[in-house]
Amino acid sequence: MSALSPLHDHTAFRQVFQPGRLTFGFITPLEAYPDSPFPTLKDHERLVRRVDEAGFASLWLRDVPFYDPTFGDAGQVLDPFVYAGMLASVTRRITLGTTGIVLPLRDPVFVAKQAASVDQLSGGRFVLGLSTGDRPTEYPTLGADFDNRDERFREAFGLIRTLHQNRFPALKTRYYGDFRGNLDLVPKPSVPRLPMMCVGRARQPIEWIAQHTDAWIWSVSDPEHVAQLLATLREAAGDNAPPPYGYATFFDLAKDPDAPEKRFHNVIRIGRKALIEKWHKQRETGVTHIALNMKPSHRPVEEVLDELAEHVLPVFNGND
């Protein structure tokens, strides 16, 4: 048995993370904008509905408080919790999640309340992904200590779980105040435990990730490295089930279905046939989910969505 109670009854989590299966989702916005740091968000509501209806597993929202020109990407621009609430109202089945909320920059009490609110509004379709971010300039701007972000991440992570799963908790924290048993966070999630995952390493030992998180999304995708990573996760989990592993990648589906894979820094450009072969191998390695960021796409996103839905999803949905 896992140290964490299993999420067998959480439909949205199982839709994304299924042992022995490989599922696919998208990092918002659903838009190709290779030559600009800012998306237009044109037709995003219609495209979100299209992804939902096509049977993809997930939509992920990033947390980018500021535009930093040295990074060249402003994410979906919109606040992730506000956007998730809106997406909950225009979708029916797809899992909504964050990749990931920069937890040391936020008050964990309000993160807990926002996450539970989205969970309630979406009918239990929310997965809370948490990170320490990738933009150091945000920390001094918000008056946050950069050097102890790993400690504050762990404490905030545990505090969110406590607030979600306990009524009127009494505990003392190092960074986030004292809870005296006289206040209760509302609303609670609609489920006994809201799924919480680590996005990136968040400066955490793999042992901590294996023992405290429900899933892990990072950027590591090559089979050899993934195999080593999963072996380390299993060893760190001991007698418990390790968290399922997925990765996120910038993605450009070539128009020629026979095009071989090419990599440009953190962007993969590949034709459909090589893509299916690559993903088969990754499924065999133990990858359970892939989140695609369409920013660098040279093709219209709608065209790519249609090709993936017609030719790729059926292969991995058991029709191969």
Side-chain angles (χ1 to χ4, degrees):
M1 288 292 292
S2 171
L4 298 174
S5 57
L7 289 164
H8 298 317
D9 296 330
H10 198 286
T11 302
F13 182 82
R14 291 181 62 249
Q15 180 169 262
V16 179
F17 299 105
Q18 305 177 42
R21 298 286 301 276
L22 181 60
T23 63
F24 310 98
F26 294 94
I27 295 176
T28 58
L30 293 176
E31 183 176 337
Y33 53 114
D35 301 319
S36 172
F38 302 104
T40 66
L41 296 180
K42 182 180 179 181
D43 290 334
H44 71 117
E45 187 174 325
R46 181 178 63 83
L47 291 172
V48 162
R49 287 195 177 102
R50 195 178 188 97
V51 167
D52 185 30
E53 293 165 0
F56 290 95
S58 63
L59 283 170
W60 302 103
L61 294 84
R62 295 165 64 196
D63 186 15
V64 185
F66 299 99
Y67 167 56
D68 184 342
T70 63
F71 278 79
D73 178 16
Q76 79 270 341
V77 176
L78 303 173
D79 177 85
F81 286 117
V82 174
Y83 195 27
M86 176 266 183
L87 294 181
S89 71
V90 300
T91 57
R92 298 179 60 187
R93 57 162 296 280
I94 199 165
T95 299
L96 306 174
T98 51
T99 51
I101 299 302
V102 186
L103 191 53
L105 296 183
R106 290 177 176 257
D107 186 316
V109 174
F110 290 106
V111 171
K113 187 176 185 74
Q114 290 165 320
S117 299
V118 174
D119 171 77
Q120 290 281 352
L121 292 171
S122 65
R125 290 188 287 127
F126 186 64
V127 174
L128 178 61
L130 300 164
S131 74
T132 52
D134 57 5
R135 308 181 188 211
T137 53
E138 293 171 341
Y139 277 76
T141 301
L142 292 172
D145 192 317
F146 187 70
D147 294 332
N148 66 9
R149 64 194 187 280
D150 51 344
E151 299 174 30
R152 290 188 293 116
F153 178 91
R154 289 192 297 272
E155 184 171 85
F157 193 102
L159 178 57
I160 291 170
R161 273 240 161 91
T162 297
L163 294 172
H164 279 170
Q165 297 181 220
N166 297 273
R167 299 195 62 205
F168 297 97
L171 72 157
K172 291 185 176 182
T173 70
R174 180 176 182 182
Y175 297 107
Y176 300 111
D178 295 342
F179 297 79
R180 302 179 181 179
N182 60 333
L183 297 172
D184 191 29
L185 181 78
V186 291
K188 301 295 186 191
S190 64
V191 289
R193 187 175 92 247
L194 184 74
M196 292 173 58
M197 66 180 194
C198 189
V199 179
R201 280 292 296 269
R203 290 177 56 85
Q204 303 306 317
I206 289 182
E207 290 75 14
W208 186 91
I209 294 172
Q211 295 165 14
H212 292 87
T213 70
D214 296 309
W216 185 17
I217 286 184
W218 199 12
S219 58
V220 174
S221 62
D222 66 279
E224 183 177 348
H225 195 170
V226 169
Q228 294 173 353
L229 202 62
L230 294 181
T232 304
L233 266 182
R234 287 191 293 270
E235 182 179 358
D239 294 333
N240 303 318
Y245 177 78
Y247 71 87
T249 185
F250 286 97
F251 182 69
D252 187 10
L253 184 65
K255 194 171 185 65
D256 177 4
D258 294 306
E261 177 180 356
K262 295 181 180 179
R263 294 196 71 91
F264 305 88
H265 302 292
N266 57 348
V267 178
I268 175 176
R269 182 174 299 158
I270 192 170
R272 181 178 73 237
K273 295 179 182 179
L275 180 68
I276 291 173
E277 182 180 353
K278 176 185 179 71
W279 284 351
H280 269 306
K281 292 178 180 178
Q282 291 182 330
R283 180 179 64 180
E284 293 168 2
T285 305
V287 175
T288 58
H289 185 68
I290 299 173
L292 303 173
N293 190 325
M294 302 296 290
K295 182 187 188 302
S297 177
H298 286 79
R299 299 169 62 188
V301 164
E302 193 162 4
E303 186 178 304
V304 174
L305 296 180
D306 288 346
E307 183 173 346
L308 292 174
E310 181 179 357
H311 297 285
V312 178
L313 274 188
V315 172
F316 293 92
N317 283 343
N319 299 326
D320 54 342

